[in-house]
Short mmCIF file of all heavy atoms in Angstrom, two decimals:
data_model
loop_
_atom_site.label_atom_id
_atom_site.label_comp_id
_atom_site.label_asym_id
_atom_site.label_seq_id
_atom_site.Cartn_x
_atom_site.Cartn_y
_atom_site.Cartn_z
N MET J 1 -13.69 -37.13 -20.53
CA MET J 1 -13.79 -35.86 -19.82
C MET J 1 -15.05 -35.13 -20.25
O MET J 1 -15.40 -35.09 -21.41
CB MET J 1 -12.56 -34.99 -20.12
CG MET J 1 -11.24 -35.49 -19.59
SD MET J 1 -11.08 -35.34 -17.82
CE MET J 1 -10.87 -33.60 -17.64
N ASN J 2 -15.63 -34.51 -19.28
CA ASN J 2 -16.84 -33.74 -19.51
C ASN J 2 -16.44 -32.26 -19.61
O ASN J 2 -15.66 -31.77 -18.82
CB ASN J 2 -17.81 -33.98 -18.36
CG ASN J 2 -19.18 -33.46 -18.65
OD1 ASN J 2 -19.38 -32.77 -19.65
ND2 ASN J 2 -20.12 -33.76 -17.79
N SER J 3 -16.99 -31.54 -20.56
CA SER J 3 -16.61 -30.14 -20.75
C SER J 3 -17.45 -29.20 -19.89
O SER J 3 -17.28 -27.99 -19.97
CB SER J 3 -16.75 -29.76 -22.22
OG SER J 3 -18.10 -29.86 -22.61
N GLN J 4 -18.32 -29.72 -19.07
CA GLN J 4 -19.14 -28.87 -18.20
C GLN J 4 -18.44 -28.67 -16.86
O GLN J 4 -17.72 -29.53 -16.38
CB GLN J 4 -20.51 -29.50 -17.96
CG GLN J 4 -21.37 -29.56 -19.22
CD GLN J 4 -22.72 -30.19 -18.93
OE1 GLN J 4 -22.88 -30.87 -17.93
NE2 GLN J 4 -23.65 -29.98 -19.83
N ILE J 5 -18.68 -27.53 -16.27
CA ILE J 5 -18.11 -27.20 -14.97
C ILE J 5 -19.10 -27.60 -13.90
O ILE J 5 -20.27 -27.25 -13.96
CB ILE J 5 -17.80 -25.70 -14.85
CG1 ILE J 5 -16.73 -25.30 -15.87
CG2 ILE J 5 -17.35 -25.34 -13.46
CD1 ILE J 5 -16.43 -23.81 -15.88
N THR J 6 -18.59 -28.34 -12.93
CA THR J 6 -19.46 -28.76 -11.83
C THR J 6 -19.66 -27.58 -10.88
O THR J 6 -18.88 -26.63 -10.86
CB THR J 6 -18.84 -29.93 -11.06
OG1 THR J 6 -17.65 -29.49 -10.44
CG2 THR J 6 -18.57 -31.11 -11.98
N PRO J 7 -20.71 -27.62 -10.07
CA PRO J 7 -20.92 -26.54 -9.09
C PRO J 7 -19.74 -26.39 -8.12
O PRO J 7 -19.40 -25.26 -7.74
CB PRO J 7 -22.18 -26.97 -8.35
CG PRO J 7 -22.90 -27.85 -9.30
CD PRO J 7 -21.84 -28.54 -10.08
N GLU J 8 -19.10 -27.47 -7.76
CA GLU J 8 -17.94 -27.40 -6.86
C GLU J 8 -16.77 -26.68 -7.55
O GLU J 8 -16.05 -25.89 -6.92
CB GLU J 8 -17.51 -28.80 -6.42
CG GLU J 8 -18.49 -29.49 -5.50
CD GLU J 8 -19.63 -30.17 -6.27
OE1 GLU J 8 -19.49 -30.35 -7.51
OE2 GLU J 8 -20.64 -30.50 -5.64
N GLN J 9 -16.58 -26.98 -8.82
CA GLN J 9 -15.52 -26.31 -9.56
C GLN J 9 -15.81 -24.81 -9.72
O GLN J 9 -14.90 -23.99 -9.60
CB GLN J 9 -15.34 -26.96 -10.94
CG GLN J 9 -14.73 -28.33 -10.90
CD GLN J 9 -14.73 -28.99 -12.27
OE1 GLN J 9 -15.65 -28.76 -13.08
NE2 GLN J 9 -13.73 -29.82 -12.51
N ALA J 10 -17.05 -24.47 -9.98
CA ALA J 10 -17.44 -23.07 -10.11
C ALA J 10 -17.24 -22.34 -8.78
O ALA J 10 -16.74 -21.21 -8.76
CB ALA J 10 -18.88 -22.96 -10.58
N GLU J 11 -17.61 -23.00 -7.69
CA GLU J 11 -17.43 -22.40 -6.37
C GLU J 11 -15.94 -22.17 -6.08
O GLU J 11 -15.55 -21.11 -5.59
CB GLU J 11 -18.03 -23.30 -5.31
CG GLU J 11 -17.96 -22.75 -3.91
CD GLU J 11 -18.54 -23.70 -2.89
OE1 GLU J 11 -19.12 -24.74 -3.27
OE2 GLU J 11 -18.41 -23.39 -1.69
N PHE J 12 -15.11 -23.15 -6.41
CA PHE J 12 -13.68 -23.00 -6.20
C PHE J 12 -13.12 -21.89 -7.07
O PHE J 12 -12.29 -21.08 -6.61
CB PHE J 12 -12.96 -24.32 -6.52
CG PHE J 12 -11.47 -24.22 -6.42
CD1 PHE J 12 -10.84 -24.17 -5.19
CD2 PHE J 12 -10.69 -24.13 -7.57
CE1 PHE J 12 -9.48 -24.06 -5.09
CE2 PHE J 12 -9.32 -24.02 -7.48
CZ PHE J 12 -8.71 -23.98 -6.24
N LEU J 13 -13.56 -21.80 -8.30
CA LEU J 13 -13.08 -20.76 -9.22
C LEU J 13 -13.46 -19.37 -8.71
O LEU J 13 -12.63 -18.45 -8.71
CB LEU J 13 -13.65 -20.99 -10.62
CG LEU J 13 -13.16 -20.06 -11.72
CD1 LEU J 13 -11.66 -20.20 -11.90
CD2 LEU J 13 -13.89 -20.36 -13.01
N VAL J 14 -14.68 -19.22 -8.24
CA VAL J 14 -15.12 -17.92 -7.71
C VAL J 14 -14.32 -17.57 -6.44
O VAL J 14 -13.88 -16.44 -6.26
CB VAL J 14 -16.65 -17.93 -7.42
CG1 VAL J 14 -17.06 -16.72 -6.60
CG2 VAL J 14 -17.42 -18.01 -8.72
N LEU J 15 -14.11 -18.55 -5.57
CA LEU J 15 -13.34 -18.32 -4.35
C LEU J 15 -11.90 -17.92 -4.70
O LEU J 15 -11.35 -16.97 -4.14
CB LEU J 15 -13.34 -19.56 -3.47
CG LEU J 15 -12.50 -19.51 -2.21
CD1 LEU J 15 -13.07 -18.49 -1.25
CD2 LEU J 15 -12.40 -20.87 -1.57
N PHE J 16 -11.30 -18.64 -5.60
CA PHE J 16 -9.93 -18.37 -5.99
C PHE J 16 -9.79 -16.98 -6.62
O PHE J 16 -8.88 -16.22 -6.28
CB PHE J 16 -9.45 -19.46 -6.97
CG PHE J 16 -8.00 -19.36 -7.32
CD1 PHE J 16 -7.04 -19.66 -6.38
CD2 PHE J 16 -7.60 -19.00 -8.59
CE1 PHE J 16 -5.68 -19.57 -6.70
CE2 PHE J 16 -6.26 -18.90 -8.92
CZ PHE J 16 -5.30 -19.20 -7.97
N CYS J 17 -10.71 -16.63 -7.50
CA CYS J 17 -10.66 -15.31 -8.14
C CYS J 17 -10.91 -14.20 -7.13
O CYS J 17 -10.27 -13.14 -7.20
CB CYS J 17 -11.69 -15.23 -9.26
SG CYS J 17 -11.25 -16.24 -10.69
N SER J 18 -11.80 -14.43 -6.17
CA SER J 18 -12.06 -13.40 -5.17
C SER J 18 -10.85 -13.21 -4.25
O SER J 18 -10.56 -12.09 -3.85
CB SER J 18 -13.30 -13.73 -4.35
OG SER J 18 -13.12 -14.92 -3.62
N LEU J 19 -10.14 -14.27 -3.94
CA LEU J 19 -8.93 -14.14 -3.12
C LEU J 19 -7.86 -13.34 -3.87
O LEU J 19 -7.16 -12.51 -3.27
CB LEU J 19 -8.40 -15.51 -2.73
CG LEU J 19 -9.21 -16.27 -1.70
CD1 LEU J 19 -8.63 -17.67 -1.49
CD2 LEU J 19 -9.27 -15.51 -0.39
N ILE J 20 -7.72 -13.60 -5.15
CA ILE J 20 -6.76 -12.84 -5.95
C ILE J 20 -7.16 -11.37 -6.00
O ILE J 20 -6.33 -10.47 -5.86
CB ILE J 20 -6.64 -13.43 -7.37
CG1 ILE J 20 -5.95 -14.80 -7.31
CG2 ILE J 20 -5.90 -12.49 -8.31
CD1 ILE J 20 -5.90 -15.53 -8.62
N LEU J 21 -8.45 -11.11 -6.19
CA LEU J 21 -8.93 -9.73 -6.24
C LEU J 21 -8.68 -9.01 -4.91
O LEU J 21 -8.23 -7.86 -4.89
CB LEU J 21 -10.42 -9.71 -6.58
CG LEU J 21 -11.07 -8.34 -6.68
CD1 LEU J 21 -10.41 -7.53 -7.80
CD2 LEU J 21 -12.55 -8.47 -6.93
N VAL J 22 -8.94 -9.68 -3.80
CA VAL J 22 -8.69 -9.08 -2.49
C VAL J 22 -7.21 -8.77 -2.32
O VAL J 22 -6.83 -7.71 -1.83
CB VAL J 22 -9.20 -10.00 -1.36
CG1 VAL J 22 -8.70 -9.57 -0.01
CG2 VAL J 22 -10.73 -10.03 -1.37
N ALA J 23 -6.35 -9.69 -2.72
CA ALA J 23 -4.91 -9.47 -2.61
C ALA J 23 -4.45 -8.29 -3.44
O ALA J 23 -3.64 -7.47 -2.99
CB ALA J 23 -4.15 -10.74 -3.02
N VAL J 24 -4.96 -8.16 -4.64
CA VAL J 24 -4.58 -7.05 -5.53
C VAL J 24 -5.06 -5.72 -4.94
O VAL J 24 -4.32 -4.73 -4.90
CB VAL J 24 -5.14 -7.26 -6.95
CG1 VAL J 24 -5.01 -6.00 -7.79
CG2 VAL J 24 -4.43 -8.42 -7.62
N VAL J 25 -6.30 -5.68 -4.44
CA VAL J 25 -6.83 -4.46 -3.86
C VAL J 25 -6.04 -4.07 -2.61
O VAL J 25 -5.70 -2.90 -2.42
CB VAL J 25 -8.34 -4.62 -3.55
CG1 VAL J 25 -8.85 -3.48 -2.67
CG2 VAL J 25 -9.13 -4.71 -4.83
N MET J 26 -5.71 -5.04 -1.76
CA MET J 26 -4.93 -4.75 -0.57
C MET J 26 -3.55 -4.22 -0.94
O MET J 26 -3.01 -3.31 -0.29
CB MET J 26 -4.80 -5.99 0.32
CG MET J 26 -6.09 -6.35 1.03
SD MET J 26 -5.96 -7.83 2.02
CE MET J 26 -4.71 -7.35 3.19
N ARG J 27 -2.97 -4.75 -1.97
CA ARG J 27 -1.66 -4.29 -2.43
C ARG J 27 -1.74 -2.84 -2.91
O ARG J 27 -0.88 -2.01 -2.59
CB ARG J 27 -1.16 -5.21 -3.56
CG ARG J 27 0.07 -4.73 -4.26
CD ARG J 27 1.30 -4.91 -3.42
NE ARG J 27 2.47 -4.59 -4.22
CZ ARG J 27 3.45 -3.82 -3.80
NH1 ARG J 27 3.43 -3.33 -2.59
NH2 ARG J 27 4.46 -3.56 -4.57
N LEU J 28 -2.77 -2.52 -3.68
CA LEU J 28 -2.93 -1.16 -4.18
C LEU J 28 -3.20 -0.17 -3.05
O LEU J 28 -2.65 0.93 -3.04
CB LEU J 28 -4.05 -1.10 -5.22
CG LEU J 28 -3.77 -1.82 -6.53
CD1 LEU J 28 -5.01 -1.82 -7.41
CD2 LEU J 28 -2.59 -1.20 -7.25
N VAL J 29 -4.03 -0.56 -2.11
CA VAL J 29 -4.31 0.31 -0.97
C VAL J 29 -3.04 0.50 -0.13
O VAL J 29 -2.72 1.62 0.28
CB VAL J 29 -5.45 -0.27 -0.11
CG1 VAL J 29 -5.56 0.45 1.23
CG2 VAL J 29 -6.76 -0.19 -0.87
N GLY J 30 -2.31 -0.58 0.10
CA GLY J 30 -1.06 -0.48 0.84
C GLY J 30 -0.05 0.42 0.15
O GLY J 30 0.64 1.22 0.80
N LEU J 31 0.04 0.33 -1.15
CA LEU J 31 0.95 1.17 -1.90
C LEU J 31 0.55 2.63 -1.81
O LEU J 31 1.40 3.52 -1.62
CB LEU J 31 0.99 0.73 -3.37
CG LEU J 31 1.97 1.43 -4.29
CD1 LEU J 31 3.41 1.23 -3.79
CD2 LEU J 31 1.84 0.89 -5.70
N ALA J 32 -0.75 2.91 -1.91
CA ALA J 32 -1.22 4.29 -1.80
C ALA J 32 -0.94 4.86 -0.41
O ALA J 32 -0.52 6.00 -0.27
CB ALA J 32 -2.71 4.35 -2.11
N VAL J 33 -1.19 4.05 0.62
CA VAL J 33 -0.94 4.50 1.99
C VAL J 33 0.55 4.73 2.20
O VAL J 33 0.97 5.71 2.80
CB VAL J 33 -1.49 3.48 3.00
CG1 VAL J 33 -1.00 3.76 4.40
CG2 VAL J 33 -3.02 3.49 2.98
N TRP J 34 1.36 3.82 1.71
CA TRP J 34 2.82 3.97 1.84
C TRP J 34 3.29 5.26 1.20
O TRP J 34 4.07 6.02 1.78
CB TRP J 34 3.51 2.77 1.20
CG TRP J 34 5.01 2.84 1.30
CD1 TRP J 34 5.86 3.38 0.40
CD2 TRP J 34 5.80 2.42 2.40
NE1 TRP J 34 7.15 3.28 0.85
CE2 TRP J 34 7.15 2.69 2.08
CE3 TRP J 34 5.52 1.79 3.61
CZ2 TRP J 34 8.19 2.39 2.92
CZ3 TRP J 34 6.59 1.48 4.44
CH2 TRP J 34 7.88 1.77 4.09
N ARG J 35 2.81 5.54 0.01
CA ARG J 35 3.24 6.75 -0.70
C ARG J 35 2.75 8.00 0.01
O ARG J 35 3.43 9.01 0.03
CB ARG J 35 2.75 6.74 -2.13
CG ARG J 35 3.52 5.78 -2.98
CD ARG J 35 3.10 5.85 -4.43
NE ARG J 35 3.91 4.96 -5.23
CZ ARG J 35 3.65 4.66 -6.47
NH1 ARG J 35 2.58 5.16 -7.06
NH2 ARG J 35 4.43 3.85 -7.13
N LYS J 36 1.55 7.94 0.60
CA LYS J 36 1.01 9.12 1.29
C LYS J 36 1.79 9.40 2.57
O LYS J 36 2.15 10.54 2.85
CB LYS J 36 -0.46 8.92 1.61
CG LYS J 36 -1.07 10.08 2.36
CD LYS J 36 -2.54 9.87 2.58
CE LYS J 36 -3.24 10.93 3.36
NZ LYS J 36 -2.61 12.13 3.65
N TRP J 37 2.07 8.38 3.35
CA TRP J 37 2.70 8.57 4.65
C TRP J 37 4.20 8.72 4.57
O TRP J 37 4.82 9.41 5.38
CB TRP J 37 2.35 7.42 5.58
CG TRP J 37 0.93 7.48 6.08
CD1 TRP J 37 0.07 8.51 5.98
CD2 TRP J 37 0.24 6.43 6.75
NE1 TRP J 37 -1.12 8.17 6.54
CE2 TRP J 37 -1.06 6.92 7.02
CE3 TRP J 37 0.59 5.15 7.15
CZ2 TRP J 37 -2.00 6.13 7.68
CZ3 TRP J 37 -0.35 4.40 7.80
CH2 TRP J 37 -1.63 4.87 8.06
N PHE J 38 4.82 8.03 3.62
CA PHE J 38 6.27 8.01 3.58
C PHE J 38 6.82 8.59 2.28
O PHE J 38 7.90 8.22 1.86
CB PHE J 38 6.78 6.58 3.74
CG PHE J 38 6.35 5.94 5.02
CD1 PHE J 38 5.36 4.97 5.03
CD2 PHE J 38 6.92 6.32 6.22
CE1 PHE J 38 4.96 4.38 6.21
CE2 PHE J 38 6.53 5.72 7.41
CZ PHE J 38 5.54 4.76 7.41
N GLN J 39 6.06 9.47 1.68
CA GLN J 39 6.50 10.01 0.40
C GLN J 39 7.77 10.83 0.58
O GLN J 39 7.91 11.56 1.55
CB GLN J 39 5.41 10.81 -0.27
CG GLN J 39 5.30 12.25 0.13
CD GLN J 39 4.16 12.93 -0.58
OE1 GLN J 39 3.19 12.30 -0.95
NE2 GLN J 39 4.27 14.22 -0.75
N ASP J 40 8.63 10.65 -0.32
CA ASP J 40 9.87 11.43 -0.36
C ASP J 40 10.09 11.81 -1.80
O ASP J 40 10.22 10.95 -2.67
CB ASP J 40 11.03 10.61 0.18
CG ASP J 40 12.30 11.42 0.29
OD1 ASP J 40 12.22 12.67 0.23
OD2 ASP J 40 13.37 10.82 0.44
N ASP J 41 10.07 13.08 -2.09
CA ASP J 41 10.15 13.50 -3.49
C ASP J 41 11.51 13.25 -4.10
O ASP J 41 11.67 13.28 -5.31
CB ASP J 41 9.74 14.95 -3.64
CG ASP J 41 10.56 15.88 -2.77
OD1 ASP J 41 11.52 15.42 -2.14
OD2 ASP J 41 10.24 17.08 -2.72
N GLY J 42 12.51 13.00 -3.28
CA GLY J 42 13.82 12.63 -3.81
C GLY J 42 14.65 13.81 -4.32
O GLY J 42 15.77 13.61 -4.78
N THR J 43 14.11 15.00 -4.24
CA THR J 43 14.89 16.14 -4.71
C THR J 43 15.93 16.52 -3.65
O THR J 43 15.64 16.48 -2.45
CB THR J 43 13.98 17.36 -4.99
OG1 THR J 43 13.26 17.67 -3.80
CG2 THR J 43 13.00 17.06 -6.11
N PRO J 44 17.10 16.87 -4.06
CA PRO J 44 18.12 17.28 -3.08
C PRO J 44 17.70 18.57 -2.40
O PRO J 44 17.32 19.53 -3.04
CB PRO J 44 19.38 17.47 -3.92
CG PRO J 44 18.91 17.60 -5.33
CD PRO J 44 17.59 16.91 -5.43
N ASP J 45 17.75 18.59 -1.08
CA ASP J 45 17.31 19.75 -0.32
C ASP J 45 18.41 20.33 0.56
O ASP J 45 18.15 21.23 1.35
CB ASP J 45 16.09 19.40 0.52
CG ASP J 45 16.30 18.15 1.34
OD1 ASP J 45 17.43 17.65 1.40
OD2 ASP J 45 15.32 17.66 1.90
N ASN J 46 19.60 19.78 0.44
CA ASN J 46 20.76 20.26 1.20
C ASN J 46 20.52 20.27 2.70
O ASN J 46 21.02 21.13 3.41
CB ASN J 46 21.18 21.67 0.73
CG ASN J 46 21.61 21.67 -0.72
OD1 ASN J 46 22.17 20.69 -1.19
ND2 ASN J 46 21.33 22.74 -1.42
N LEU J 47 19.72 19.30 3.20
CA LEU J 47 19.48 19.17 4.63
C LEU J 47 20.26 17.98 5.15
O LEU J 47 20.53 17.01 4.43
CB LEU J 47 17.99 18.94 4.90
CG LEU J 47 17.03 20.06 4.52
CD1 LEU J 47 15.61 19.63 4.81
CD2 LEU J 47 17.35 21.33 5.27
N THR J 48 20.62 18.05 6.43
CA THR J 48 21.24 16.89 7.06
C THR J 48 20.16 15.87 7.37
O THR J 48 18.96 16.17 7.31
CB THR J 48 21.94 17.31 8.37
OG1 THR J 48 20.94 17.75 9.30
CG2 THR J 48 22.96 18.39 8.13
N GLN J 49 20.57 14.66 7.71
CA GLN J 49 19.60 13.63 8.04
C GLN J 49 18.77 14.02 9.26
O GLN J 49 17.58 13.76 9.34
CB GLN J 49 20.29 12.27 8.27
CG GLN J 49 19.33 11.14 8.49
CD GLN J 49 18.43 10.89 7.28
OE1 GLN J 49 18.91 10.89 6.16
NE2 GLN J 49 17.15 10.71 7.53
N GLU J 50 19.41 14.66 10.21
CA GLU J 50 18.70 15.11 11.41
C GLU J 50 17.61 16.14 11.05
O GLU J 50 16.50 16.07 11.57
CB GLU J 50 19.69 15.72 12.40
CG GLU J 50 19.04 16.15 13.70
CD GLU J 50 20.06 16.69 14.71
OE1 GLU J 50 21.25 16.32 14.62
OE2 GLU J 50 19.64 17.47 15.56
N GLU J 51 17.91 17.05 10.14
CA GLU J 51 16.92 18.04 9.73
C GLU J 51 15.76 17.38 8.97
O GLU J 51 14.62 17.76 9.14
CB GLU J 51 17.58 19.11 8.86
CG GLU J 51 18.54 20.00 9.64
CD GLU J 51 19.39 20.88 8.73
OE1 GLU J 51 19.68 20.47 7.58
OE2 GLU J 51 19.78 21.96 9.18
N ARG J 52 16.10 16.39 8.15
CA ARG J 52 15.04 15.65 7.46
C ARG J 52 14.14 14.92 8.44
O ARG J 52 12.92 14.90 8.28
CB ARG J 52 15.65 14.64 6.49
CG ARG J 52 16.17 15.23 5.23
CD ARG J 52 16.55 14.15 4.22
NE ARG J 52 17.38 14.72 3.19
CZ ARG J 52 18.71 14.63 3.16
NH1 ARG J 52 19.35 13.97 4.08
NH2 ARG J 52 19.38 15.20 2.19
N ASP J 53 14.76 14.31 9.47
CA ASP J 53 13.98 13.60 10.49
C ASP J 53 13.06 14.56 11.23
O ASP J 53 11.91 14.25 11.49
CB ASP J 53 14.91 12.89 11.47
CG ASP J 53 15.66 11.73 10.83
OD1 ASP J 53 15.22 11.25 9.76
OD2 ASP J 53 16.68 11.30 11.40
N GLU J 54 13.57 15.74 11.58
CA GLU J 54 12.75 16.72 12.27
C GLU J 54 11.58 17.18 11.40
O GLU J 54 10.46 17.35 11.87
CB GLU J 54 13.60 17.94 12.68
CG GLU J 54 14.59 17.63 13.78
CD GLU J 54 15.55 18.78 14.05
OE1 GLU J 54 15.44 19.83 13.37
OE2 GLU J 54 16.39 18.62 14.94
N ARG J 55 11.84 17.35 10.12
CA ARG J 55 10.78 17.76 9.20
C ARG J 55 9.73 16.66 9.07
O ARG J 55 8.53 16.95 9.05
CB ARG J 55 11.39 18.05 7.83
CG ARG J 55 10.39 18.60 6.82
CD ARG J 55 11.05 19.01 5.54
NE ARG J 55 11.70 17.88 4.91
CZ ARG J 55 12.38 17.94 3.78
NH1 ARG J 55 12.51 19.08 3.15
NH2 ARG J 55 12.95 16.87 3.28
N LEU J 56 10.16 15.41 9.05
CA LEU J 56 9.23 14.29 8.97
C LEU J 56 8.37 14.19 10.23
O LEU J 56 7.16 13.98 10.16
CB LEU J 56 10.00 12.98 8.76
CG LEU J 56 9.17 11.69 8.68
CD1 LEU J 56 8.22 11.76 7.49
CD2 LEU J 56 10.07 10.49 8.56
N VAL J 57 8.99 14.38 11.40
CA VAL J 57 8.24 14.36 12.66
C VAL J 57 7.21 15.48 12.67
O VAL J 57 6.06 15.28 13.06
CB VAL J 57 9.20 14.45 13.87
CG1 VAL J 57 8.44 14.73 15.14
CG2 VAL J 57 10.02 13.19 14.00
N ALA J 58 7.60 16.67 12.23
CA ALA J 58 6.67 17.79 12.20
C ALA J 58 5.52 17.51 11.24
O ALA J 58 4.36 17.82 11.53
CB ALA J 58 7.41 19.06 11.79
N ARG J 59 5.80 16.91 10.09
CA ARG J 59 4.76 16.58 9.12
C ARG J 59 3.78 15.56 9.69
O ARG J 59 2.58 15.67 9.51
CB ARG J 59 5.41 16.04 7.85
CG ARG J 59 4.43 15.79 6.72
CD ARG J 59 5.07 15.18 5.49
NE ARG J 59 6.28 15.88 5.10
CZ ARG J 59 7.32 15.29 4.52
NH1 ARG J 59 7.31 14.00 4.27
NH2 ARG J 59 8.40 15.98 4.19
N ARG J 60 4.29 14.58 10.42
CA ARG J 60 3.42 13.56 11.00
C ARG J 60 2.55 14.17 12.13
O ARG J 60 1.40 13.78 12.28
CB ARG J 60 4.25 12.40 11.56
CG ARG J 60 4.80 11.55 10.46
CD ARG J 60 5.54 10.36 11.01
NE ARG J 60 6.09 9.55 9.93
CZ ARG J 60 6.97 8.60 10.10
NH1 ARG J 60 7.40 8.31 11.30
NH2 ARG J 60 7.41 7.90 9.09
N ARG J 61 3.11 15.11 12.88
CA ARG J 61 2.31 15.77 13.91
C ARG J 61 1.17 16.56 13.30
O ARG J 61 0.06 16.56 13.81
CB ARG J 61 3.20 16.70 14.76
CG ARG J 61 4.06 15.98 15.74
CD ARG J 61 4.83 16.97 16.62
NE ARG J 61 5.79 16.25 17.43
CZ ARG J 61 6.94 16.73 17.82
NH1 ARG J 61 7.27 17.97 17.49
NH2 ARG J 61 7.77 15.99 18.53
N ARG J 62 1.46 17.26 12.19
CA ARG J 62 0.40 18.02 11.52
C ARG J 62 -0.67 17.08 10.98
O ARG J 62 -1.85 17.41 10.99
CB ARG J 62 0.99 18.85 10.38
CG ARG J 62 1.71 20.09 10.83
CD ARG J 62 2.01 21.00 9.66
NE ARG J 62 2.72 20.35 8.56
CZ ARG J 62 4.02 20.37 8.38
NH1 ARG J 62 4.80 20.99 9.24
NH2 ARG J 62 4.55 19.74 7.35
N ALA J 63 -0.27 15.92 10.49
CA ALA J 63 -1.22 14.96 9.92
C ALA J 63 -2.12 14.35 10.99
O ALA J 63 -3.25 13.99 10.72
CB ALA J 63 -0.48 13.87 9.15
N GLN J 64 -1.62 14.25 12.21
CA GLN J 64 -2.40 13.65 13.29
C GLN J 64 -3.45 14.60 13.83
O GLN J 64 -4.39 14.19 14.46
CB GLN J 64 -1.49 13.20 14.43
CG GLN J 64 -0.66 12.00 14.09
CD GLN J 64 0.28 11.61 15.21
OE1 GLN J 64 0.43 12.33 16.20
NE2 GLN J 64 0.92 10.46 15.07
N ARG J 65 -3.29 15.87 13.63
CA ARG J 65 -4.25 16.86 14.17
C ARG J 65 -5.51 16.89 13.40
O ARG J 65 -5.85 16.57 12.43
CB ARG J 65 -3.62 18.26 14.18
CG ARG J 65 -2.50 18.34 15.17
CD ARG J 65 -1.95 19.75 15.19
NE ARG J 65 -0.74 19.75 15.99
CZ ARG J 65 0.08 20.75 16.05
NH1 ARG J 65 -0.15 21.83 15.36
NH2 ARG J 65 1.15 20.72 16.79
#
């Protein structure tokens, strides 16, 4: 066995690492977007589900403007 890395192996290693990096970045961006758009603080607000839905719709309308 030779302890040197061939150019093909180096190319594969760079490609593989870049794919992993892209996947990690996409995951982090997706998580940030999910938390921004669908954040729910989880505190009890004594609202019915219908009232929560109306509040969510109103929040999304404000965000679209």
